[in-house]
Amino acid sequence: MIISARNQITGKIESVKEGAVNAIVTLKTDGGAAITSTISMSAVKDLGLAPGKEATAVIKATEVMIGIGDMKLSARNQIAGKIESIKEGVVNASVTLKTDDGNTITSTISMAAVKDLGLAPGVKAKAVIKATSVMMAV
């Protein structure tokens, strides 16, 4: 299957914490970072997710925020790296972050945010993604 989501990061399931309706699934990327996803228990069972299983975290670029500096947030996924490139549009920009573990994450954010944060290639930043915005694929 080919999908439009820009961010498809592979790894192995590290843990599955089951609840009555949802589970918190942690994927350890091939580079060693952890990505947390909150998905339904039926999805966990349908996908056969269990520790050690290979999977892919799928995240739309519009669901990725970019932050700089120290941030205390409820978002579980805060992945550090450096801005690799910025493709500017009139209203929005496509920002690519090269993560410290070697992956790339693309974010679609406003041009105002790019300017306000002083984003440019080489700037240290973090991709911030709520666990509920991370899908899992096998």
Side-chain angles (χ1 to χ4, degrees), residues 1 4 27-28 46-47 69 71 89 92-94:
M1 171 173 46
S4 64
L27 177 108
K28 192 75 142 194
D46 290 347
L47 296 170
M71 301 173 288
N92 290 325
S94 180

Side-chain angles (χ1 to χ4, degrees), residues 82-95:
K82 287 184 181 178
I83 302 298
E84 185 173 68
S85 66
I86 301 172
K87 182 177 181 183
E88 296 184 3
V90 175
V91 177
N92 290 325
S94 180
V95 178

Side-chain angles (χ1 to χ4, degrees), residues 26-76:
T26 301
L27 177 108
K28 192 75 142 194
T29 70
D30 294 337
I35 297 178
T36 301
S37 173
T38 300
I39 60 175
S40 69
M41 282 303 303
S42 60
V44 168
K45 296 199 184 318
D46 290 347
L47 296 170
L49 298 179
K53 181 164 184 150
E54 291 188 15
T56 302
V58 178
I59 310 139
K60 289 181 62 169
T62 53
E63 296 297 318
V64 178
M65 295 173 276
I66 299 291
I68 57 172
D70 289 328
M71 301 173 288
K72 289 189 178 195
L73 302 168
S74 63
R76 295 296 82 200

